[in-house]
Amino acid sequence: QVQLVESGGGLVQPGGSLRLSCAVSGVIFSIYDMGWYRQAPGKQRELVAVITSGGSRNYADSVKGRFTISRDGAKRTVYLQMNSLKPEDTAVYYCNAHLTGPFPRDFWGQGTQVTVSS
């Protein structure tokens, strides 16, 4: 059974920081690209950051320089360090595991709420 379990969300003031974690089980973690997506009320889900199985990173323009994605193979966990948070970062953040190749697969976590407000 594949499970992606996010944690670390919460309420933070503008300019503050949070670190999201996503613990993965049930798949061969090392071969999956891992990503963080977010969905704000009334908006479509959007990609925030991705780290490939090889360690390459890509970020949405809106978070470049503020967010950092990383992965720990030993802990089978992917992280999203979020600094200098803005109210527009408020959303439900979802962890994604994506397998490329001839038989692509996608798995999602349940989401964790991040609220940036004073």
Side-chain angles (χ1 to χ4, degrees):
Q1 181 182 1
V2 180
Q3 285 191 312
L4 282 69
V5 180
E6 300 107 332
S7 60
L11 173 63
V12 63
Q13 292 186 342
S17 297
L18 282 175
R19 188 176 81 154
L20 305 183
S21 300
C22 173
V24 181
S25 60
V27 296
I28 304 173
F29 180 75
S30 62
I31 67 173
Y32 278 74
D33 298 339
M34 298 300 303
W36 286 96
Y37 291 71
R38 67 186 181 188
Q39 187 167 19
K43 295 187 176 182
Q44 289 188 330
R45 190 174 297 189
E46 63 175 358
L47 176 66
V48 176
V50 63
I51 183 167
T52 68
S53 58
S56 298
R57 297 172 172 85
N58 281 293
Y59 298 92
D61 288 342
S62 59
V63 307
K64 281 181 182 176
R66 301 188 298 122
F67 290 11
T68 302
I69 189 170
S70 61
R71 63 192 295 164
D72 185 330
K75 295 182 178 180
R76 301 169 59 85
T77 299
V78 61
Y79 303 97
L80 186 68
Q81 178 66 44
M82 305 186 293
N83 299 328
S84 303
L85 283 161
K86 305 175 181 180
E88 51 263 44
D89 295 318
T90 296
V92 178
Y93 284 70
Y94 296 91
C95 178
N96 168 261
H98 175 72
L99 180 66
T100 59
F103 304 101
R105 301 289 300 275
D106 274 284
F107 300 100
W108 294 90
Q110 81 286 354
T112 185
Q113 176 70 46
V114 171
T115 302
V116 185
S117 175
S118 55

